[in-house]
Every structure is written in structure tokens, then in C-alpha cells.
Amino acid sequence: MLKIGQRGIRHLQRSSTASFTTVSASSIEKGQNRVVDASLTLIRERAKLKGELVRLLGGAKASTSLLGVPLGHNSSFLQGPAFAPPRIREAIWCGSTNSSTEEGKELKDPRVLTDVGDVPVQEIRDCGVDDDRLMNVISESVKLVMEEEPLRPLVLGGDHSISYPVIRAVSEKLGGPVDVLHLDAHPDIYDCFEGNKYSHASSFARIMEGGYARRLLQVGIRSINKEGREQGKRFGVEQYEMRTFSRDREVLENLKLGEGVKGVYISIDVDCLDPAFAPGVSHIEPGGLSFRDVLNILHSLQGDVVGADVVEFNPQRDTVDGMTAMVAAKLVRELAAKISK
């Protein structure tokens, strides 16, 4: 017999009736399998619906599809990013601005942007699924989106740990490594931060170990220690720190990536921005990029963008008027325009 864990079934452990506090290991495993299967079915059917719609409308070689991954427990500080996906969606469609991107793409056109909903992370964790399997579920969910051509994933985090299973899925589905453009205040390349191999501070170590990225360019870095630099050298990472940004600007605004590999993946941690532009993050690091700096880098990037994520927005630290939610939403809008064609 095995005692049940995780939030959703802890009330059974507190029950005064002993028969409710333990169940067999086989029963737990069967229940977990059903929850995981149901979760993947949810994403599969939504992706199929959106894919059929885009194919019916025709004319799209690549179409962005949002996938939420509301995961926050791998954060080393605050876990508020788990609440970000619905806040970002709300800001995208709040009506305070029009539905056209800066480069003229119309977001209400399903060939530019669709949404397959969220991976039900909390329900999966509530039934006792561990992080090894959860990461696999996230990867499989991304692959389900990619199976419905011409859909390409734009993932809403969530803390930065989600980038590992997402990039892994994109690379495996496309059959080879991608070039990764990573905008962040931190390199997130610790070997195993605080003993957690899936920590949001270790995601890019896992990506590079797995061979899922050929080139990794990290931009906006301004909180990095000895290990971060050593890990960067170990994996051949191109780290662009904010202290030299004025010198590096010309290079970063003329990037050409993805040649000879399966495309380009863009990962944006909202704290790449100076907190004056995005205060609603868990780790506030002054001296960051301006919002226009980020857009200039994105708009000028040459390459086939096959996927992206926006992570580490923490609604619990945002201003009362949702300033950072709007910032994250505009990042999503401009990324959708970059992916869709």
C-alpha cells in the first residue's frame, strides 16, 4: 500500500478514516495514466480543431498556436508565474488596442493566431505525477500541436523550466537541433540549481546537454556568476551582457540564425526587460533592455522561427493596472507575427 501525495489528495491524508489515507500503488498508477491520457487528449483534440480551421482557410505556411503551461513550482523564489497564461490572454484581447501587430499581421485571423488552451499542470501534479513524467507530458503536448500543420507553438509560461521540454519537443519533432535566441536577465544554465535538475535556473543546461540547440545566444544578461560563465564556456554559449549592450547592439539588431539547422526558437523571459518596463516579475534586476530594444532585435531577426515562449511573468507582482500583462501580451503578439507566414 502507498500513501497518496500532492495537493489535490492531501485532504484524504488528513481524513480521520484510515481506509481513505492509503491506496495501492497499482491504483495510483492507473489513475495517473488516465489523468495524463485525458490531458493529452484535451490538447490533441483542440490542436486538431485549430489545425483543420487553418487548413480550411488556406494560404498559411506557418501559423502560431498558443499553448499555456501554467507551471511555477520549479521557481527558486516565487511561484506566481503559474498564474500567468490567463492574464496574458486577457491582455491580448482586452480591447485597449487594436488586433494588428506592428508589422501589420491581423491577430483575429486564425491563420496568424489560434489557441489550444493549457496543459492541465496542476491536475497532473495533484494525482502525484513526478516532474520527469510531467516534462514528458509538456513535450508530448507541444508535439501534438506541431502534428497539425501548419501550426507552430508559442508557449505561455509558467516559469523558465518549461523551455526545456518545449525546445526538446521542437527539436525532436523537426529531427534536429535549432538555434535558440534567449532573452533574459539570467543565463539559467546552472548544472542543478539547489539540487533540482528541472529548476528554472537550469533549463538551458538541460537543453545544451541534450543537443537540442546548435547555437544559444543569451541577450540581456546582467545577473551572472562564475558558474554561469563557466557553464556558458562549457556549452559554447554566446552571452551578451547588458554592460556591453551599447557595443553589441549592431550585432544583435542584425542577427541571422537557423541556417543549416531546423530553424530558430525564441525564448523570452520577461525579466530581460528593465523593471521600469516590466515590474511584474519574480526576480527584479535593474539595468535591463528597453521594450523597443527587444522589438528591434525581434523585428530585424532573419530566420525561420519554428517556436517560441514567453515566461516568468508574475501576475502577483504586477501593477494594479496590469502593466506587465500588457507588456507580455505585446511580446506574444509580435512573436506570433514573426512565426506566422
Side-chain angles (χ1 to χ4, degrees), residues 231-245:
Q231 285 280 89
K233 291 178 181 177
R234 173 189 173 195
F235 293 118
V237 180
E238 300 163 58
Q239 294 177 330
Y240 293 90
E241 297 185 38
M242 282 307 301
R243 61 193 176 90
T244 60
F245 181 72

Side-chain angles (χ1 to χ4, degrees), residues 303-324:
D304 182 22
V305 181
V306 295
D309 62 59
V310 174
V311 299
E312 296 288 354
F313 163 46
N314 185 345
Q316 295 178 331
R317 301 196 88 181
D318 203 1
T319 58
V320 293
D321 58 355
M323 173 181 170
T324 314

Side-chain angles (χ1 to χ4, degrees), residues 3 6-17 20-21:
K3 186 166 282 190
Q6 303 298 337
R7 187 194 69 171
I9 42 183
R10 283 179 185 148
H11 69 283
L12 295 180
Q13 294 178 320
R14 294 192 295 267
S15 171
S16 59
T17 307
F20 286 114
T21 64

Side-chain angles (χ1 to χ4, degrees), residues 192-213:
C192 189
F193 191 70
E194 296 181 339
N196 180 7
K197 67 179 180 179
Y198 293 126
S199 169
H200 69 157
S202 298
S203 49
F204 287 90
R206 304 289 83 79
I207 290 163
M208 298 308 288
E209 286 172 350
Y212 304 119

